[in-house]
Amino acid sequence: MTELFDLPVDSAEEAAERRDEVVARVRSHAGKIARELARLQGGDYGKRTFETADGEWTVKYEAGDLQFLLFDDGRNETYVVSTHQPPEPEALAEAMTDYEAFVTAFNRYVRSLDGVLDEVPADFPAVESTDSVVAERERVLGRVREVCDQIARQLARYEGGEYGTYATRVAGNRWELKWENGTTSYLRVGGEGGIYLLSQYEQPSAHDVRSLAEDVPLFVEAFNDYVDDLDASLDGVSL
């Protein structure tokens, strides 16, 4: 048994060093391909596959840097370059016999794009300004917010809290005003999923403002009727 463990073990250092040298050179060279792909595809990350007579090569990149280079010959997949572990020397050697064909396929792809944009027009019509539309929308919504803030202050006085909601139906739609600290948080028409005529986050479309602003007076009248009902509920009470 002692003689068995005295058997010599060959060092894999030379093969590993040679493998690492080849992988480093491929990483550097294929990294150029990754950077060119990133420029062409215009994103921070992506991948593309190139076909050769012996298989497929897939390049994946992120922020312009090569993430992996995969060779698939239809029988085996070899990560020639990877962020995890280096390939087996035999698999690397097999893949490298097709590397030149891969580079040729990439170059062919790039050359196929020559002249693609030559006839694309670069003169475009003038862009209309939205200044007048935005200004008119702000004018209308500013007035809506003024009157809704008045309602919010009255509700805060009556209900005595820091926030709350008031809802009623106007022209067949549910109108809901949410208020906080005496100011309007939002005015929503149509319930959940409805249109926010007033909001802290985004503006309604001009078409929505046009169709709904005409009903704001009815909303105010509904609130006034609500207040009148509150007054009437105390009529006849004496102490």
Side-chain angles (χ1 to χ4, degrees), residues 167-193:
T168 187
R169 298 197 70 82
V170 175
N173 292 317
R174 187 177 191 274
W175 287 56
E176 180 179 81
L177 185 150
K178 181 178 180 181
W179 54 271
E180 185 173 354
N181 295 322
T183 61
T184 304
S185 294
Y186 68 70
L187 177 61
R188 185 175 64 197
V189 182
E192 290 291 336

Short mmCIF file of all heavy atoms in Angstrom, two decimals, residues 167-193:
data_model
loop_
_atom_site.label_atom_id
_atom_site.label_comp_id
_atom_site.label_asym_id
_atom_site.label_seq_id
_atom_site.Cartn_x
_atom_site.Cartn_y
_atom_site.Cartn_z
N ALA A 167 -66.67 62.75 -0.93
CA ALA A 167 -67.04 62.14 -2.21
C ALA A 167 -68.51 62.40 -2.49
O ALA A 167 -69.35 62.44 -1.57
CB ALA A 167 -66.76 60.64 -2.21
N THR A 168 -68.82 62.58 -3.77
CA THR A 168 -70.20 62.77 -4.21
C THR A 168 -70.29 62.34 -5.67
O THR A 168 -69.27 62.06 -6.30
CB THR A 168 -70.63 64.25 -4.06
OG1 THR A 168 -72.03 64.36 -4.33
CG2 THR A 168 -69.85 65.14 -5.01
N ARG A 169 -71.50 62.30 -6.20
CA ARG A 169 -71.69 61.95 -7.60
C ARG A 169 -72.09 63.19 -8.38
O ARG A 169 -72.98 63.94 -7.97
CB ARG A 169 -72.74 60.85 -7.78
CG ARG A 169 -72.36 59.54 -7.11
CD ARG A 169 -73.20 58.38 -7.63
NE ARG A 169 -72.88 58.03 -9.01
CZ ARG A 169 -71.83 57.25 -9.35
NH1 ARG A 169 -71.01 56.77 -8.42
NH2 ARG A 169 -71.63 56.95 -10.62
N VAL A 170 -71.39 63.38 -9.51
CA VAL A 170 -71.65 64.52 -10.38
C VAL A 170 -71.74 64.00 -11.81
O VAL A 170 -70.81 63.34 -12.29
CB VAL A 170 -70.53 65.58 -10.28
CG1 VAL A 170 -70.77 66.70 -11.29
CG2 VAL A 170 -70.45 66.14 -8.87
N ALA A 171 -72.84 64.29 -12.46
CA ALA A 171 -73.04 63.89 -13.86
C ALA A 171 -72.77 62.40 -14.07
O ALA A 171 -72.18 61.99 -15.06
CB ALA A 171 -72.14 64.71 -14.79
N GLY A 172 -73.17 61.59 -13.09
CA GLY A 172 -73.03 60.14 -13.21
C GLY A 172 -71.68 59.60 -12.81
O GLY A 172 -71.47 58.38 -12.83
N ASN A 173 -70.74 60.46 -12.43
CA ASN A 173 -69.40 60.01 -12.03
C ASN A 173 -69.16 60.27 -10.55
O ASN A 173 -69.70 61.22 -9.97
CB ASN A 173 -68.31 60.75 -12.84
CG ASN A 173 -68.31 60.36 -14.29
OD1 ASN A 173 -68.41 59.18 -14.63
ND2 ASN A 173 -68.20 61.34 -15.17
N ARG A 174 -68.34 59.43 -9.96
CA ARG A 174 -67.96 59.63 -8.57
C ARG A 174 -66.79 60.61 -8.51
O ARG A 174 -65.75 60.38 -9.12
CB ARG A 174 -67.56 58.31 -7.92
CG ARG A 174 -67.31 58.41 -6.41
CD ARG A 174 -66.97 57.05 -5.83
NE ARG A 174 -66.98 57.05 -4.38
CZ ARG A 174 -65.95 57.39 -3.61
NH1 ARG A 174 -64.79 57.74 -4.18
NH2 ARG A 174 -66.05 57.38 -2.29
N TRP A 175 -66.98 61.70 -7.80
CA TRP A 175 -65.92 62.68 -7.58
C TRP A 175 -65.43 62.54 -6.13
O TRP A 175 -66.24 62.52 -5.20
CB TRP A 175 -66.42 64.10 -7.81
CG TRP A 175 -66.66 64.43 -9.26
CD1 TRP A 175 -67.46 63.76 -10.14
CD2 TRP A 175 -66.09 65.52 -9.98
NE1 TRP A 175 -67.42 64.35 -11.37
CE2 TRP A 175 -66.59 65.45 -11.31
CE3 TRP A 175 -65.22 66.55 -9.65
CZ2 TRP A 175 -66.23 66.37 -12.29
CZ3 TRP A 175 -64.87 67.48 -10.61
CH2 TRP A 175 -65.35 67.38 -11.93
N GLU A 176 -64.13 62.44 -5.98
CA GLU A 176 -63.58 62.29 -4.64
C GLU A 176 -62.45 63.30 -4.43
O GLU A 176 -61.50 63.35 -5.21
CB GLU A 176 -63.03 60.88 -4.44
CG GLU A 176 -62.43 60.65 -3.05
CD GLU A 176 -61.92 59.24 -2.89
OE1 GLU A 176 -60.80 58.95 -3.36
OE2 GLU A 176 -62.65 58.41 -2.29
N LEU A 177 -62.57 64.08 -3.38
CA LEU A 177 -61.54 65.05 -3.00
C LEU A 177 -60.85 64.54 -1.73
O LEU A 177 -61.51 64.30 -0.72
CB LEU A 177 -62.15 66.42 -2.76
CG LEU A 177 -61.18 67.57 -2.47
CD1 LEU A 177 -61.77 68.88 -2.97
CD2 LEU A 177 -60.86 67.70 -0.98
N LYS A 178 -59.57 64.35 -1.80
CA LYS A 178 -58.81 64.00 -0.62
C LYS A 178 -58.03 65.23 -0.17
O LYS A 178 -57.40 65.90 -0.99
CB LYS A 178 -57.83 62.85 -0.90
CG LYS A 178 -57.03 62.44 0.35
CD LYS A 178 -56.10 61.26 0.05
CE LYS A 178 -55.32 60.89 1.31
NZ LYS A 178 -54.39 59.76 1.06
N TRP A 179 -58.11 65.51 1.13
CA TRP A 179 -57.45 66.70 1.64
C TRP A 179 -56.53 66.34 2.80
O TRP A 179 -56.68 65.31 3.46
CB TRP A 179 -58.47 67.74 2.09
CG TRP A 179 -59.48 67.21 3.08
CD1 TRP A 179 -60.67 66.61 2.80
CD2 TRP A 179 -59.37 67.23 4.51
NE1 TRP A 179 -61.32 66.25 3.95
CE2 TRP A 179 -60.55 66.62 5.02
CE3 TRP A 179 -58.42 67.71 5.39
CZ2 TRP A 179 -60.78 66.48 6.37
CZ3 TRP A 179 -58.64 67.58 6.76
CH2 TRP A 179 -59.82 66.96 7.24
N GLU A 180 -55.54 67.18 3.01
CA GLU A 180 -54.60 66.98 4.12
C GLU A 180 -54.10 68.34 4.58
O GLU A 180 -53.66 69.16 3.77
CB GLU A 180 -53.42 66.13 3.66
CG GLU A 180 -52.44 65.79 4.80
CD GLU A 180 -51.37 64.79 4.37
OE1 GLU A 180 -51.46 64.28 3.23
OE2 GLU A 180 -50.46 64.54 5.17
N ASN A 181 -54.22 68.58 5.88
CA ASN A 181 -53.81 69.85 6.47
C ASN A 181 -54.45 71.05 5.77
O ASN A 181 -53.81 72.09 5.55
CB ASN A 181 -52.28 70.00 6.44
CG ASN A 181 -51.60 68.96 7.31
OD1 ASN A 181 -52.07 68.60 8.39
ND2 ASN A 181 -50.47 68.45 6.82
N GLY A 182 -55.72 70.87 5.40
CA GLY A 182 -56.46 71.98 4.82
C GLY A 182 -56.16 72.28 3.37
O GLY A 182 -56.62 73.30 2.85
N THR A 183 -55.42 71.42 2.68
CA THR A 183 -55.16 71.61 1.25
C THR A 183 -55.52 70.35 0.49
O THR A 183 -55.62 69.26 1.06
CB THR A 183 -53.69 71.96 0.99
OG1 THR A 183 -52.85 70.90 1.44
CG2 THR A 183 -53.30 73.25 1.69
N THR A 184 -55.69 70.50 -0.81
CA THR A 184 -56.11 69.38 -1.66
C THR A 184 -54.95 68.45 -1.97
O THR A 184 -53.91 68.90 -2.47
CB THR A 184 -56.71 69.90 -2.98
OG1 THR A 184 -57.77 70.81 -2.68
CG2 THR A 184 -57.22 68.76 -3.83
N SER A 185 -55.12 67.16 -1.67
CA SER A 185 -54.14 66.15 -2.09
C SER A 185 -54.44 65.68 -3.50
O SER A 185 -53.54 65.56 -4.33
CB SER A 185 -54.13 64.96 -1.13
OG SER A 185 -53.69 65.34 0.14
N TYR A 186 -55.72 65.38 -3.77
CA TYR A 186 -56.11 65.04 -5.13
C TYR A 186 -57.61 65.23 -5.30
O TYR A 186 -58.38 65.23 -4.35
CB TYR A 186 -55.70 63.62 -5.53
CG TYR A 186 -56.41 62.48 -4.82
CD1 TYR A 186 -57.75 62.18 -5.06
CD2 TYR A 186 -55.71 61.65 -3.93
CE1 TYR A 186 -58.39 61.12 -4.43
CE2 TYR A 186 -56.34 60.58 -3.30
CZ TYR A 186 -57.67 60.33 -3.55
OH TYR A 186 -58.30 59.28 -2.93
N LEU A 187 -57.99 65.40 -6.57
CA LEU A 187 -59.40 65.40 -6.96
C LEU A 187 -59.51 64.37 -8.07
O LEU A 187 -58.97 64.56 -9.16
CB LEU A 187 -59.84 66.78 -7.46
CG LEU A 187 -61.29 66.87 -7.98
CD1 LEU A 187 -62.28 66.54 -6.87
CD2 LEU A 187 -61.57 68.25 -8.56
N ARG A 188 -60.20 63.27 -7.77
CA ARG A 188 -60.28 62.15 -8.70
C ARG A 188 -61.71 61.97 -9.17
O ARG A 188 -62.65 62.02 -8.38
CB ARG A 188 -59.78 60.87 -8.04
CG ARG A 188 -59.72 59.67 -8.97
CD ARG A 188 -59.10 58.47 -8.26
NE ARG A 188 -59.93 58.02 -7.15
CZ ARG A 188 -59.48 57.23 -6.16
NH1 ARG A 188 -58.23 56.83 -6.15
NH2 ARG A 188 -60.30 56.85 -5.19
N VAL A 189 -61.84 61.72 -10.47
CA VAL A 189 -63.15 61.52 -11.07
C VAL A 189 -63.22 60.10 -11.63
O VAL A 189 -62.37 59.71 -12.43
CB VAL A 189 -63.41 62.53 -12.20
CG1 VAL A 189 -64.82 62.33 -12.77
CG2 VAL A 189 -63.23 63.96 -11.70
N GLY A 190 -64.22 59.32 -11.18
CA GLY A 190 -64.40 57.99 -11.72
C GLY A 190 -63.98 56.86 -10.81
O GLY A 190 -63.89 55.71 -11.25
N GLY A 191 -63.69 57.12 -9.56
CA GLY A 191 -63.32 56.06 -8.63
C GLY A 191 -61.94 55.51 -8.90
O GLY A 191 -61.11 56.12 -9.58
N GLU A 192 -61.66 54.31 -8.35
CA GLU A 192 -60.37 53.66 -8.56
C GLU A 192 -60.09 53.50 -10.05
O GLU A 192 -60.95 53.04 -10.80
CB GLU A 192 -60.36 52.28 -7.89
CG GLU A 192 -60.35 52.34 -6.37
CD GLU A 192 -59.05 52.87 -5.80
OE1 GLU A 192 -58.01 52.76 -6.49
OE2 GLU A 192 -59.07 53.39 -4.67
N GLY A 193 -58.91 53.91 -10.45
CA GLY A 193 -58.58 53.85 -11.87
C GLY A 193 -59.14 55.01 -12.67
O GLY A 193 -59.06 55.01 -13.90
#
